């Protein structure tokens, strides 16, 4: 693995991780409160066949963290790092970043698209039932933001736990497990305002019209045991 520093404007630089092997380049965009480190095992395995590119997204180092800015970072990386048209893989918020990138820049500079566990419209209303949990309303989001401001670590932890199809007993076991202990440690070091501002910049967005403009082969992946979204 090597790292490359990319100037993205606003007096900011991205530290881009590159697992370099094959000619095909794969950009991996992590989810909300996730990190590029979460994808290291995947990148190490895929890196045997292609070049994997990832970075910690903006909320880690600046409060200028709108989804529009994050999409522009992808554009900078493609122009600065990629030698060929890359595949973009976006997980959760990373999928939103990918859609926002396509909304701003189109598909002319990418080869393919992979969307993992995400919906083009997160908020459920009378005419759209395919948002978070198939039941997440604007009132639910207002409550989520309030609870995050009251206890960020607990509320984000519950978001992660409730994203899985688990029994109450399994949820309790997960709360006490190593995975959540590691995630809670990370959450304690985050700039809560940056991450909540980032969330607020995309949670009400509707990318259904953007889907119609996608002109590259696209793979949709949904976890069998994911409670966030269904096919």
């Amino acid at each position: 693995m090597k790292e490359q520093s990319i100037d993205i404007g606003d007096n900011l630089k991205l530290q881009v991780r590159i697992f370099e092997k094959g000619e095909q380049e794969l950009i991996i965009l992590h989810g909300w409160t996730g990190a590029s480190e979460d994808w290291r095992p995947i990148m190490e395995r895929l890196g045997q066949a292609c070049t994997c590119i990832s970075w910690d997204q903006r909320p880690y180092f600046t409060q200028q963290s709108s989804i529009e800015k994050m999409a522009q970072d992808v554009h900078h990386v493609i122009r600065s790092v990629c030698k060929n048209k890359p595949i973009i893989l976006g997980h959760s918020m990373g999928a939103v970043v990918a859609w926002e990138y396509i909304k701003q820049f189109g598909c002319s500079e990418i080869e393919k698209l992979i969307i993992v566990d995400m919906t083009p419209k997160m908020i459920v209303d009378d005419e759209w039932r395919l948002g978070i949990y198939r039941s997440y309303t604007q009132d639910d989001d207002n409550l989520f933001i309030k609870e995050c401001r009251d206890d960020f670590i607990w509320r984000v932890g519950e978001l992660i736990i409730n994203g899985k199809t688990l029994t109450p007993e399994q949820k309790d076991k997960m709360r006490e497990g190593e995975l959540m202990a590691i995630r809670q440690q990370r959450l304690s070091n985050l700039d809560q305002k940056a991450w909540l501002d980032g969330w607020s910049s995309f949670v009400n967005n509707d990318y259904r019209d953007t889907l119609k403009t996608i002109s590259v082969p696209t793979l949709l992946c949904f976890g069998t045991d994911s409670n966030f979204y269904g096919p």
Side-chain angles (χ1 to χ4, degrees), residues 37-144:
E37 181 65 23
D38 300 337
W39 289 85
R40 177 185 279 269
I42 303 296
M43 289 189 285
E44 288 176 346
R45 292 184 67 180
L46 293 179
Q48 298 173 26
C50 63
T51 293
C52 294
I53 301 166
S54 189
W55 60 90
D56 290 338
Q57 297 207 52
R58 271 179 176 257
Y60 273 104
F61 53 89
T62 177
Q63 290 189 351
Q64 300 174 34
S65 296
S66 69
I67 201 71
E68 292 81 9
K69 289 281 190 181
M70 286 185 260
Q72 290 161 20
D73 295 342
V74 176
H75 182 65
H76 281 295
V77 171
I78 291 175
R79 290 292 182 90
S80 302
V81 175
C82 294
K83 300 172 184 177
N84 304 295
K85 290 184 178 181
I87 299 170
I88 293 181
L89 183 159
H91 168 243
S92 190
M93 181 189 77
V96 182
V97 175
W99 286 325
E100 179 63 34
Y101 166 83
I102 291 169
K103 180 180 177 180
Q104 292 187 42
F105 301 103
C107 293
S108 63
E109 295 189 12
I110 63 175
E111 183 73 20
K112 297 176 182 177
L113 179 66
I114 303 171
I115 299 297
V116 182
D117 216 25
M118 194 54 186
T119 174
K121 185 177 185 296
M122 296 172 67
I123 300 293
V124 165
D125 54 35
D126 290 341
E127 57 89 26
W128 176 254
R129 307 304 301 176
L130 300 178
I132 306 178
Y133 311 132
R134 279 77 70 193
S135 63
Y136 191 79
T137 66
Q138 186 63 62
D139 287 342
D140 291 325
D141 189 63
N142 293 339
L143 178 61
F144 174 75

